Amino acid sequence: MNLKRIDIDQMLLHETGHILWEGDAGVIAQSDGSGLVLSDVADGALLREKIRELFPQGHRSFCVHSDDAAQALRAEFGLSGETYCSQWVYTAQEAPEYPPHDIRPLAPQDVPLAASHYHLVDDSEAYLAGRAAAGRAWGLYENGALAGFIGVHSEGSMGMLEIFPEYRRRGYGYALEAFAIGLHLRRGWTPYSQVIRGNEASVNLQEKVRMELCAEPAIWLF
């Protein structure tokens, strides 16, 4: 398992995507759905050169794994948006155990409620509806009411984990992530997640479910 490019490998496995360039220094790939370009090329000058060749008119969204690569693309394309994440991978063969809960595919009628608690994308309702329709979002229900949810992003990472305030401190976040890990393993996927810098609660959760921290960050540029 190549932890350095786990996001690229899983994007190609989960969704429609393709490799644009591959060499000794790494890989440049693109998601056909979102247009996101992902690369593990650490050398900023080399990555900038290859992106110029691949996108003569420029490009606007990337995920890279070194500060040098991020700096080169910011300067080249005038990108001002950035989300700096740590990347975590589950390398064990068995999923974490968790108490039984009512976890099932996120129902279409519950998407608006879920979207009202999720604010990391511009149109959260449309995004979550798409993830749910693709079979990539699940809800945890208490007495039939949605208490939280988790999903798999279009590039293959586990995320969108939200527990509604009135249901917190009941272990539901752990249960949802453990559920998602088990589902990944049963389907032959590698569970991985990205945690925005400063989100200590999520870091603690990754450690609790025994996710392994990757040496390289995941830096989103847009």
Side-chain angles (χ1 to χ4, degrees), residues 98-176:
Y98 62 96
H101 292 290
D102 181 8
I103 300 176
R104 46 190 156 99
L106 184 65
Q109 63 268 25
D110 292 324
V111 166
L113 174 60
S116 71
H117 291 269
Y118 185 67
H119 309 293
L120 292 182
V121 296
D122 289 336
D123 189 343
S124 58
E125 185 168 341
Y127 184 72
L128 289 177
R131 293 289 81 205
R136 298 290 201 273
W138 302 269
L140 187 152
Y141 292 81
E142 183 176 287
N143 298 321
L146 182 66
F149 59 95
I150 195 170
V152 178
H153 288 291
S154 57
E155 77 284 354
S157 66
M158 297 188 303
M160 296 168 271
L161 177 57
E162 297 286 343
I163 305 299
F164 302 161
E166 61 270 33
Y167 295 104
R168 290 176 183 166
R169 301 189 182 280
R170 302 184 189 183
Y172 289 171
Y174 181 93
L176 277 168

Side-chain angles (χ1 to χ4, degrees), residues 2 4-5 21-27 40-43 46 50:
N2 187 347
K4 185 179 178 183
R5 53 172 285 181
W21 177 86
E22 186 168 10
D24 293 339
V27 174
D40 64 339
V41 175
D43 185 324
L46 175 61
K50 295 302 178 183

Side-chain angles (χ1 to χ4, degrees), residues 83-107:
T83 302
Y84 198 102
C85 301
S86 56
Q87 191 156 257
W88 301 75
V89 181
Y90 193 81
T91 58
Q93 295 183 347
E94 299 294 331
E97 295 184 358
Y98 62 96
H101 292 290
D102 181 8
I103 300 176
R104 46 190 156 99
L106 184 65

Side-chain angles (χ1 to χ4, degrees), residues 166-198:
E166 61 270 33
Y167 295 104
R168 290 176 183 166
R169 301 189 182 280
R170 302 184 189 183
Y172 289 171
Y174 181 93
L176 277 168
E177 186 147 346
F179 164 85
I181 289 170
L183 184 144
H184 274 65
L185 295 178
R186 290 192 298 274
R187 294 184 178 182
W189 303 341
T190 299
Y192 85 99
S193 62
Q194 295 176 344
V195 176
I196 296 175
R197 182 163 54 186

